[in-house]
Amino acid sequence: MIKKLSISISLLLLFSFTPLKAEELKEIGKFKDWQTMVLIEPTGTVCFAQSSPVLQAPKSNKRDARLFVTFRPNEKIIDEISASPGYEFNQNNSVTATSGKEKIKFDIVQQGFAWIADNKIEKKMVNVMKKGSRLMITGYNQNGSQTIDHYSLLGFSKAYDAAKTACS
């Protein structure tokens, strides 16, 4: 859990605040609305597919939200799904992902990220994402206001496969 948190915070910080060095983070592919990145850390290589929302609600609340599927071979972690809405989630409300009739709840909410604890459910969500066209992440901010981030799944399968291959 701590490692999930530190990796996710590292990813968010790399994208949000610091200039990137080529040896730290490298984009290995852009696939429609998704991209594949490789992060080289002292503890090993981290590969991930990521996307930003194509639509956010409410429209007046622009946030730096992202959805990730991560692989960390040194830690034997595959298909780790995390979402960051660009704010701290409200601990009293659940965070969910919805695509078509499928609805999946994120189990862990901490430090501005949400994760799914069970790898079987993560694999199910990856399959839903491969078959779907859009995924909505619903969360609540500290004031209890609902936000919905709409992610296009165009290019997800290729970005996912590239991330998985890069860390195999």
Side-chain angles (χ1 to χ4, degrees):
M1 173 57 202
I2 297 295
K3 288 185 181 190
K4 279 186 177 188
L5 180 61
S6 67
I7 293 294
S8 295
I9 290 172
S10 296
L11 293 174
L12 187 64
L13 290 174
L14 281 171
F15 286 109
S16 301
F17 306 112
T18 60
L20 302 178
K21 297 179 185 174
E23 67 271 13
E24 293 176 346
L25 183 67
K26 180 180 176 186
E27 180 179 331
I28 60 170
K30 175 85 171 120
F31 308 94
K32 299 195 185 211
D33 294 322
W34 284 78
Q35 66 184 146
T36 302
M37 310 290 284
V38 174
L39 177 65
I40 307 297
E41 294 189 319
T43 56
T45 302
V46 178
C47 306
F48 57 96
Q50 71 155 11
S51 186
S52 297
V54 293
L55 178 68
Q56 292 182 312
K59 289 181 182 181
S60 61
N61 186 5
K62 296 291 180 214
R63 298 168 280 106
D64 187 24
R66 298 208 194 266
L67 179 62
F68 303 94
V69 180
T70 306
F71 299 86
R72 285 181 285 177
N74 286 0
E75 299 171 50
K76 299 186 181 354
I77 293 174
I78 59 170
D79 297 333
E80 179 186 74
I81 297 173
S82 61
S84 176
Y87 63 82
E88 287 289 327
F89 284 113
N90 183 323
Q91 296 288 327
N92 298 323
N93 299 95
S94 61
V95 177
T96 58
T98 307
S99 183
K101 294 179 181 178
E102 295 289 338
K103 187 172 186 176
I104 297 172
K105 182 180 175 187
F106 286 80
D107 306 302
I108 303 165
V109 176
Q110 203 170 15
Q111 301 287 321
F113 282 87
W115 295 275
I116 297 169
D118 186 332
N119 194 249
K120 288 179 185 176
I121 295 172
E122 287 178 317
K123 286 185 185 305
K124 176 183 177 183
M125 186 160 161
V126 166
N127 288 331
V128 166
M129 292 169 71
K130 284 182 173 183
K131 294 175 186 173
S133 61
R134 187 167 283 207
L135 181 81
M136 281 80 68
I137 303 288
T138 303
Y140 296 83
N141 65 23
Q142 293 297 315
N143 297 327
S145 298
Q146 182 185 63
T147 61
I148 304 172
D149 295 323
H150 297 251
Y151 291 90
S152 165
L153 297 174
L154 292 174
F156 171 74
S157 292
K158 288 183 179 180
Y160 170 86
D161 291 343
K164 187 175 182 178
T165 299
C167 269
S168 315

